[in-house]
Amino acid sequence: MNLEFGTRAIIALAWARDFGVDDSALQPDRTPVRLFVPAVGTDMVQVLHLGDHQVVRAPGELLPLLRTAPDEHFMDDRALVSLLHGSGLAPSVRSLGVDALTYVDAPFEIVGSEHVSVSGTRTDLARLLERSPHDDASTTTLQGCDRCFVLFSEAHEEPVAAASYWAPGGLLADTTVLTYPAMRGYGLGKYAAALAVDDALSEGLIPQARIKDGQDAASALATSLGFELVGSLLSVRLHNGL
């Protein structure tokens, strides 16, 4: 792994705070832990794998079942859904998939272009979201961003690509990219993402890209920018009041 130890330590601290465990619990130099924590005010069951550490967060009434479950139920969202549904404790449950958690701590070399201009306004970002296919726009978090980078090409009056990041915890910068379908394959998404990564790093944040299973294009883009896999987050949503 090329990520610096200090970077991995910050990632571990951020996730420890998110899951409500001790700040040092998930540090990369600690003995692997398997923790179960109660979820408060949420209808989610989530399984975090960070390095060799595992944390399961769920409503309190489900924790006794989960503590006795074999490890394989926490590696496969279908197995976890089957376990919860079969127990009778969660009659309605739906997987939200598994996110690969990837990070980068070195900026990507940015080569400027005379054919592309960059806007940082959310109005321009909203224009790109409005003209993009609903499925594409709905799977991004661009609208909930701290900083955005919207690209215009000299041949188009409308925005053609954008990247943004959101840093609610002040440590990690969740980075998202969206390119208008007709403009894919020209490196615009990569250029926008590189701008967002560089800006996040300059603010002392660690860029994070969450990539769903099957999002091959997003995975390839992250890899091209130097993002490295550190862990995963499996999420399941419960219904019927649980």
Side-chain angles (χ1 to χ4, degrees):
M1 180 178 291
N2 295 321
L3 292 174
E4 295 183 0
F5 179 85
T7 298
R8 292 185 284 134
I10 293 171
I11 295 167
L13 173 62
W15 279 107
R17 292 178 175 177
D18 186 282
F19 269 66
V21 300
D22 187 86
D23 280 357
S24 62
L26 307 180
Q27 288 299 310
D29 58 348
R30 294 203 59 175
T31 301
V33 297
R34 188 171 186 256
L35 304 175
F36 295 83
V37 297
V40 179
T42 178
D43 60 354
M44 301 276 284
V45 175
Q46 292 183 297
V47 182
L48 171 69
H49 287 101
L50 201 65
D52 294 323
H53 301 303
Q54 174 183 286
V55 188
V56 179
R57 177 168 59 189
E61 60 269 32
L62 297 179
L63 290 179
L65 168 71
L66 296 171
R67 286 193 179 100
T68 60
D71 286 345
E72 56 263 27
H73 288 86
F74 304 113
M75 305 299 294
D76 184 332
D77 57 328
R78 294 168 296 180
L80 183 58
V81 166
S82 179
L83 172 70
L84 292 169
H85 187 267
S87 71
L89 296 173
S92 181
V93 56
R94 177 171 64 93
S95 173
L96 300 182
V98 181
D99 293 345
L101 303 176
T102 68
Y103 304 86
V104 66
D105 59 6
F108 186 83
E109 183 178 354
I110 300 173
V111 179
S113 172
E114 297 179 354
H115 305 293
V116 175
S117 59
V118 183
S119 165
T121 66
R122 287 173 175 77
T123 301
D124 289 331
L125 180 59
R127 289 168 60 190
L128 177 62
L129 288 167
E130 288 171 1
R131 67 191 298 258
S132 297
H134 175 74
D135 288 348
D136 289 348
S138 65
T139 57
T140 74
T141 55
L142 285 166
Q143 59 267 43
C145 64
D146 292 323
R147 294 291 301 275
C148 63
F149 302 84
V150 186
L151 304 188
F152 291 80
S153 74
E154 62 180 4
H156 297 80
E157 294 183 359
E158 295 294 332
V160 294
S164 71
Y165 68 80
W166 183 49
L171 296 173
L172 306 180
D174 261 311
T175 307
T176 311
V177 182
L178 178 64
T179 303
Y180 188 67
M183 298 302 296
R184 291 172 185 167
Y186 297 100
L188 295 168
K190 184 175 182 178
Y191 182 54
L195 293 173
V197 164
D198 184 67
D199 191 82
L201 289 170
S202 71
E203 294 294 322
L205 302 166
I206 306 299
Q208 170 180 263
R210 303 191 191 196
I211 303 170
K212 290 285 187 188
D213 281 349
Q215 291 185 331
D216 296 339
S219 180
L221 173 59
T223 299
S224 73
L225 289 167
F227 280 82
E228 296 184 32
L229 179 67
V230 173
S232 65
L233 181 66
L234 185 160
S235 300
V236 167
R237 185 178 299 281
L238 308 172
H239 298 281
N240 291 354
L242 282 178

